[in-house]
Structure formats: C-alpha cells, structure tokens
Amino acid sequence: MRNTLTFSDHLRLIDERSTALRAAVAAAPSLDVPVPSCPGWTLFDLVQHLGMGRRRSAAIVAAGPADAPPEKSAWEDGTGAPREREALLAWWTESVERLTSALREAGPDRGCWTFWGDSQSPETSGAWARRQVPEIAVHTYDVQLAVGAPQPLPDEVALDGFDDCQFTLCSTDVAWPHEPAVVDYHATEGRSWRLRLSRDGALAARLGVSAASDDPDPDPADVSARGTASDLVLFFYGRIPPDSPRLELNGDRHVFDQLIAWDPSV
C-alpha cells in the first residue's frame, strides 16, 4: 500500500495534532510539570522547543531552494517563548500558523533545503509538510504522558508517519558500519516495511502481498518488529523500549541496538 495522504491532508493533520497538543498543555496543572519521555524537560521546555522548530521550518519553506537553512534571525527574535500559560499557548498557535501559511503559499512542489538530502524522500515543501506531522504528534504524546493521559497516535498519523520515518530519517547512502542486515516492521493495521542495511547505506521499501510491492524479495528478515502503527512510531522515537510488551520482536535483537545507536551524520 502506497502513501495516500495528500499535501492538504498533511496540513489538516498539522492543525489537528497542534490543537491536541494545545489542549493537553492547557489541562496541565503547571508548565513546570516534568516530561518523563524527554528527561530534563518541563512542559514549557517542550512547547518552546516545538514552537521554535515550527518557526524554523516555516522560514526554510519560505526561503525556497537553498544550499543551507536561513540564518537564525529569520525565525527567532531572541526573546524565546513567553512563560505565562495563555501567552505561551497563543505563541504556539502563532508558530503553527506561520508554518501552515508558509506551506500553503509554497504548495507541495517547491524545492527547499532539507537535512535529509541523502535519503529517499524529496527535498520539497511537501516533504517538509509531511515531516511535521509525526514530529508534532509524538510531542503531543509526550505532553499527554506528562499529564497522565497518554493516547495512541491516530491511525492515519501513525501509518503515514512511520512510512515517513523510514524513507526520510532511516534511508541514507552512508555506509552501514556493521554486518549487512534486513529489518522488517509490521503494523497490525496491515502495512509492512523493510530496511536493508549494507555498505550501500540504508534502503527503505514498502512490503506487501502484491507484485506492486517495493521489495518483492522473499528473503527473511534478520530481525522484525510487529505492533500497532502508533507503537512502531513511538518505538522509533524511543518512547517505548524494544522489550516493551506492546511490541513483538523476532530475530537478532542486537541489530536493533546497532540501529538505535547509529548516527550516519557522524
């Protein structure tokens, strides 16, 4: 099954997850509540981090084709986020509006600087829109967890988000520094992915029962993980550990340890 979400869908989901985050922050007893999934951070720290990231993304999209991201002065005025709750929530809303306005103006096909130039994903404003959704969704989960009311990521967010994680964040032409390996992920909602790790880098593919699969190779995986799409995303982002009872792992789990520790940018 291919990605079927459109640019408009991604804009809609940015708004939906941003609203959910705002609601969770508004319901918290204090902005000083610690976020257990982000050690050392409070709710204020998380919102400031996420808001600054959306402002930076907006500036990148607005700049169009470039060899480097805009200077910090293009998206940050040096004052940071306000510490009073209502002002912080208004600042967060404005951060998201900056992002969605820049994306709408650009449309899905404008070329942009990206940090994923060595991946299988395009370097476009549409890819930036897609990338925002799991970022905001996972941090929404973080806030919900901090206030004692964690919720799974919505199915369409999680399925599209995990696909994006594989093709944008995992795939690379940087050589894998260990023995070649094949990693499979299976979402209980009916979608599967394969990541091939070798001297050629990391190559992501969608798996399926039809001949339209990206990778019809029947070779078995060295290790696999099965769970809901939400739990696969949370596993990818380190929110649940490999030994979580919410995941079913089979094969050589050491490959997951190597993959988690690998930073191709170094």
Side-chain angles (χ1 to χ4, degrees):
M1 183 184 298
R2 303 283 178 172
N3 169 47
T4 58
L5 294 188
T6 65
F7 181 66
S8 294
D9 289 326
H10 291 131
L11 292 178
R12 169 178 57 83
L13 293 172
I14 289 170
D15 283 334
E16 287 182 5
R17 290 298 87 203
S18 299
T19 299
L21 183 138
R22 179 188 174 102
V25 173
S30 166
L31 294 178
D32 294 326
V33 170
V35 182
S37 48
C38 301
W41 280 11
T42 63
L43 286 184
F44 171 82
D45 296 326
L46 186 152
V47 176
Q48 176 168 247
H49 164 81
L50 196 57
M52 288 297 185
R54 294 334 94 195
R55 289 166 181 250
R56 180 175 185 266
S57 297
I60 289 170
V61 170
D67 295 328
E71 294 294 330
K72 197 172 185 179
S73 58
W75 52 273
E76 183 183 358
D77 61 9
T79 63
R83 290 192 166 269
E84 190 274 324
R85 190 194 307 247
E86 287 305 314
L88 177 66
L89 292 176
W91 178 87
W92 164 246
T93 298
E94 196 224 340
S95 300
V96 176
E97 288 175 349
R98 283 194 190 187
L99 172 64
T100 54
S101 293
L103 288 168
R104 287 191 179 94
E105 182 177 345
D109 300 320
R110 176 187 287 177
C112 298
W113 175 87
T114 73
F115 60 83
W116 57 80
D118 61 344
S119 81
Q120 293 167 253
S121 287
E123 295 186 273
T124 62
S125 48
W128 270 108
R130 191 185 195 205
R131 181 89 289 278
Q132 305 304 304
V133 179
E135 290 286 334
I136 299 172
V138 169
H139 279 315
T140 299
Y141 171 87
D142 291 331
V143 175
Q144 293 169 344
L145 182 66
V147 300
Q151 300 175 18
L153 277 59
D155 286 352
E156 65 175 338
V157 169
L159 285 166
D160 188 70
F162 192 75
D163 191 90
D164 178 61
C165 288
Q166 293 305 294
F167 283 86
T168 305
L169 301 185
C170 283
S171 69
T172 178
D173 57 15
V174 176
W176 171 247
H178 307 289
E179 288 296 314
V182 174
V183 182
D184 281 358
Y185 299 95
H186 305 288
T188 56
E189 293 86 352
R191 292 183 62 178
S192 295
W193 298 263
R194 169 161 288 189
L195 190 68
R196 291 186 173 275
L197 303 163
S198 70
R199 291 182 180 178
D200 294 326
L203 181 67
R206 301 176 185 95
L207 299 180
V209 296
S210 73
S213 169
D214 286 353
D215 186 348
D217 191 330
D219 290 348
D222 294 289
V223 66
S224 66
R226 181 182 300 275
T228 66
S230 175
D231 283 341
L232 289 179
V233 173
L234 295 175
F235 170 51
F236 179 84
Y237 277 93
R239 269 45 178 189
I240 59 176
D243 59 358
S244 169
R246 290 153 57 177
L247 295 172
E248 177 187 337
L249 268 57
N250 290 290
D252 183 1
R253 300 188 183 194
H254 182 56
V255 176
F256 276 132
D257 295 333
Q258 293 174 330
L259 189 56
I260 290 168
W262 186 38
D263 183 355
S265 66
V266 175

